[in-house]
């Protein structure tokens, strides 16, 4: 049998990366509002992580940034005239709206979509549903372009099925793979799809957070599971602990991560931990590999440590020897509770055997760690061969993209700069060139 693999598709940080405090409930986004950003450093930090994972022998892909500021959204909201006029009017009349349509938030591709590998789906294809991200206006405008990018990257209907986003209303709030994990013995076999939601929209009695929004609903996850043709016996749902959301855990991937036969999560991540454990063990059943439930006790690491360090927003990746590496942000090393816990974990009886640390400070300052920056797509060799080859990381692509960033990106950006018509022109020139580098065709409005 040919070996299936799990590829990571990272979002390349766009030229308008900035700190606008747009994400209520996301502590880092709120704390860093109005700080100057460095889009050039942000893009390079992301590229360095992508290249390092490719060098570890993993398949690494790149998804391009979206067109920002998004002039078509401003036009649809009544701004008229030339692009420069629209920017000037929006900056004056609705500066927060201009910031929202300028966000580089599509870099966090864990929120791009939910992906079900072919081993799990009825028709044996890989299924994609772009997330509607309806809870945040600046993110709710992503799914149309995300859909175009996914279709251009996974462009073969024999292997890949693309669904539209769910209805854009709170009832179907969908944050994509940030709340979705897949467990399996082998990436090509039937696995368990684990959906985590913030609340249930159609059940008024369901527990919900008091302070911050629950961005993802049970009903959204159920609809995705139906559309993807998943086997109900191999789907597990779990509700996030509402208190965790109120403590700043706006996506489940801030407090849990899974891969293969390992679920690594915090004691306070879920509303009903016992049930989550039982449901996963039942779905796993009898296999020649044990299932590891690695629960981090609150006495060792508090929720506040998780939110501050992003311990769980790590990538748990497969090594050639069958063990796993945890890819963490530098903040993990700076938090002594977390670092001590990790040192202890690596000695224990779990497949997690080493840690790799990356500086992702630019993304982290908006609440996005290593796991937020990647969308996982498990692929058989035949499916991998059908992926757009120009989207896959290599020595050449790494060099080309670094040069491209050097040529087009600024190293300092303030919120006021978003009104600069030059920034719009620079971004469009950059993205036009990028679609040629990645051979994606015309995916942006300005190219049509
Ligand atoms: N998965 C990580 C997502 C982080 C993202 N932050 C933001 O959109 C912050 C943007 C700003 O505040 O400028 C969010 O909360 O959805």
């Amino acid at each position: 049998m040919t070996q299936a693999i799990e590829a990571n598709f990272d979002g390349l940080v766009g030229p308008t990366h900035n700190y606008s405090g747009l994400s209520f409930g996301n502590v880092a986004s709120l704390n860093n509002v109005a700080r100057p950003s460095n889009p050039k450093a942000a893009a390079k930090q992301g590229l360095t992580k992508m290249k390092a994972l490719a060098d570890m022998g993993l398949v690494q892909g790149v998804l391009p940034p979206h067109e920002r500021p998004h002039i078509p959204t401003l036009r649809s909201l009544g701004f008229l005239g030339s692009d420069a006029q629209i920017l000037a009017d929006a900056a004056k009349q609705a500066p927060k709206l201009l910031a929202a349509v300028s966000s580089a938030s599509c870099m966090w591709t864990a929120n791009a979509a939910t992906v079900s590998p072919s081993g799990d789906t009825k028709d044996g294809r890989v299924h994609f549903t772009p997330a509607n991200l309806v809870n945040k206006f600046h993110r709710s405008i992503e799914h149309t372009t995300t859909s175009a990018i996914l279709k251009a990257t996974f462009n073969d209907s024999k292997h890949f099925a693309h669904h539209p986003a769910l209805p854009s209303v709170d009832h179907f709030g969908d944050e994509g793979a940030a709340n979705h994990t897949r467990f399996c013995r082998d990436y090509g076999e039937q696995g368990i799809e684990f959906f985590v939601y913030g609340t249930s929209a159609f059940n008024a009695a369901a527990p919900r957070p008091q302070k911050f929004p629950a961005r993802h609903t049970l009903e959204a996850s159920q609809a995705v599971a139906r559309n993807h043709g998943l086997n109900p016996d191999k789907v597990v749902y779990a509700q996030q602990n509402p208190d965790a959301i109120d403590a700043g855990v706006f996506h489940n991937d801030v407090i849990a991560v899974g891969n293969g036969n390992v679920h690594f999560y915090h004691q306070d991540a879920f509303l009903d931990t016992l049930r989550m454990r039982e449901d996963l063990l039942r779905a796993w059943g009898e296999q020649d590999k044990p299932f590891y439930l690695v629960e981090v006790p609150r006495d060792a690491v508090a929720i506040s440590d998780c939110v501050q360090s992003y311990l769980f927003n790590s990538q748990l990746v497969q090594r050639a020897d069958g063990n796993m590496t945890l890819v963490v942000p530098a903040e993990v090393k700076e938090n002594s509770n977390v670092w001590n816990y990790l040192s202890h974990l690596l000695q224990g009886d779990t497949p997690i055997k080493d840690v790799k640390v990356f500086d992702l400070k630019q993304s982290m300052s908006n609440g996005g760690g290593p796991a937020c920056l990647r969308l996982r797509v498990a692929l058989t060799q035949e499916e991998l061969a059908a992926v757009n080859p120009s989207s896959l990381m290599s020595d050449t692509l790494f060099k080309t993209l670094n040069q491209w960033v050097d040529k087009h990106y600024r190293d300092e950006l303030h919120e006021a700069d978003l009104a600069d018509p030059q920034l719009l022109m620079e971004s469009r020139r950059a993205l036009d060139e990028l679609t040629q580098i990645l051979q994606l065709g015309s995916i942006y409005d300005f190219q049509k």
Side-chain angles (χ1 to χ4, degrees):
M1 193 182 79
T2 48
Q3 200 63 32
I5 53 96
E6 184 172 81
N8 290 293
F9 282 80
D10 279 44
L12 184 53
V13 180
T16 59
H17 159 63
N18 74 97
Y19 302 118
S20 294
L22 299 172
S23 272
F24 179 63
N26 169 342
V27 177
S29 157
L30 299 184
N31 286 348
N32 290 301
V33 59
R35 293 237 172 110
S37 63
N38 183 337
K40 186 178 280 184
K44 292 198 160 198
Q45 287 170 357
L47 282 169
T48 301
K49 173 171 88 80
M50 294 185 224
K51 180 64 165 53
L53 267 71
D55 288 345
M56 284 166 69
L58 299 162
V59 177
Q60 177 68 55
V62 186
L63 298 174
H66 298 188
E67 166 188 354
R68 296 288 182 270
H70 197 238
I71 298 293
T73 298
L74 292 176
R75 281 192 198 282
S76 77
L77 295 171
F79 290 96
L80 300 171
S82 66
D83 292 347
Q85 188 65 54
I86 287 176
L87 288 173
D89 288 349
K92 208 159 116 203
Q93 296 168 28
K96 274 294 157 196
L97 177 59
L98 177 60
V101 302
S102 304
S103 176
S105 52
C106 66
M107 73 175 84
W108 300 298
T109 52
N111 306 118
T114 305
V115 185
S116 295
S118 54
D120 297 353
T121 62
K122 213 181 216 156
D123 67 1
R125 294 190 294 168
V126 185
H127 284 244
F128 297 83
T129 296
N132 60 28
L133 299 171
V134 74
N135 187 259
K136 299 281 178 269
F137 174 70
H138 70 289
R139 305 218 60 184
S140 70
I141 61 173
E142 290 176 27
H143 68 83
T144 327
T145 303
T146 299
S147 178
I149 289 171
L150 291 175
K151 284 177 181 162
T153 310
F154 302 93
N155 181 14
D156 183 344
S157 58
K158 181 171 167 230
H159 295 295
F160 306 120
H162 295 278
H163 300 270
L166 298 176
S168 285
V169 287
D170 279 351
H171 292 74
F172 289 98
D174 178 9
E175 300 281 320
N179 292 322
H180 176 253
T181 304
R182 179 174 185 254
F183 301 103
C184 60
R185 207 183 64 118
D186 177 283
Y187 293 121
E189 293 176 0
Q190 161 100 68
I192 301 168
E193 298 212 11
F194 180 54
F195 290 87
V196 181
Y197 57 94
T199 194
S200 169
F202 289 94
N203 174 6
R208 30 181 53 79
Q210 300 300 309
K211 191 170 152 206
F212 291 146
R215 290 165 65 158
H216 197 128
T217 67
L218 168 63
E219 290 80 357
S221 298
Q222 290 169 328
V224 170
R226 278 191 295 268
N227 279 332
H228 289 194
L230 303 182
N231 172 354
D233 295 338
K234 295 287 180 185
V235 174
V236 173
Y237 299 98
Q239 181 165 353
Q240 263 192 290
N241 175 0
D243 295 339
I245 296 180
D246 280 338
V249 182
F250 57 97
H251 289 141
N252 184 60
D253 69 1
V254 175
I255 201 152
V257 60
N259 174 55
N261 59 341
V262 177
H263 191 201
F264 179 49
Y265 62 93
H266 190 270
Q267 182 179 9
D268 294 321
F270 302 99
L271 183 64
D272 189 343
T273 307
L274 196 63
R275 183 162 157 210
M276 175 279 293
R277 295 170 68 107
E278 284 171 5
D279 287 352
L280 284 178
L281 289 171
R282 187 179 320 107
W284 185 261
E286 289 297 318
Q287 301 201 33
D288 56 7
K289 270 189 185 179
F291 189 74
Y292 290 87
L293 288 155
V294 185
E295 183 169 311
V296 180
R298 67 176 82 90
D299 292 346
V301 176
I303 293 196
S304 55
D305 288 321
C306 302
V307 172
Q308 184 273 328
S309 71
Y310 265 41
L311 164 65
F312 292 96
N313 200 261
S314 46
Q315 291 177 254
L316 191 53
V317 296
Q318 205 76 30
R319 303 195 312 197
D321 68 359
N323 284 315
M324 299 183 197
T325 299
L326 198 67
V327 173
V328 302
E331 285 73 1
V332 160
K333 209 169 177 176
E334 289 151 19
N335 180 315
S336 58
N337 288 346
V338 171
W339 193 246
N340 288 341
Y341 171 81
L342 259 192
S343 316
H344 163 80
L345 174 75
L346 297 183
Q347 308 305 318
D349 171 33
T350 83
I352 308 173
K353 289 296 174 224
D354 72 318
V355 171
K356 283 205 165 25
V357 182
F358 288 89
D359 174 10
L360 294 163
K361 192 159 183 22
Q362 288 289 320
S363 167
M364 284 288 287
S365 302
N366 250 338
C372 292
L373 288 162
R374 60 93 174 98
L375 181 67
R376 293 184 283 189
V377 187
L379 298 163
T380 63
Q381 292 301 324
E382 208 188 328
E383 288 156 2
L384 178 58
V387 173
N388 172 34
S390 303
S391 297
L392 298 178
M393 187 50 74
S394 63
D395 292 349
T396 317
L397 183 61
F398 181 66
K399 209 168 138 206
T400 307
L401 290 178
N402 271 292
Q403 285 165 350
W404 171 83
V405 169
D406 280 327
K407 179 172 159 196
H408 295 286
Y409 280 50
R410 299 188 183 186
D411 55 17
E412 190 171 319
L413 203 64
H414 299 259
E415 210 178 309
D417 298 327
L418 301 175
D420 178 0
Q422 282 307 320
L423 181 69
L424 176 70
M425 297 314 293
E426 284 165 30
S427 303
R428 285 184 179 166
R429 264 197 301 275
L431 296 193
D432 202 34
E433 204 176 302
L434 184 64
T435 49
Q436 291 164 42
I437 296 172
L438 300 178
Q439 300 201 44
L440 291 172
S442 299
I443 47 174
Y444 300 115
D445 291 304
F446 75 87
Q447 293 176 316
K448 286 172 188 155

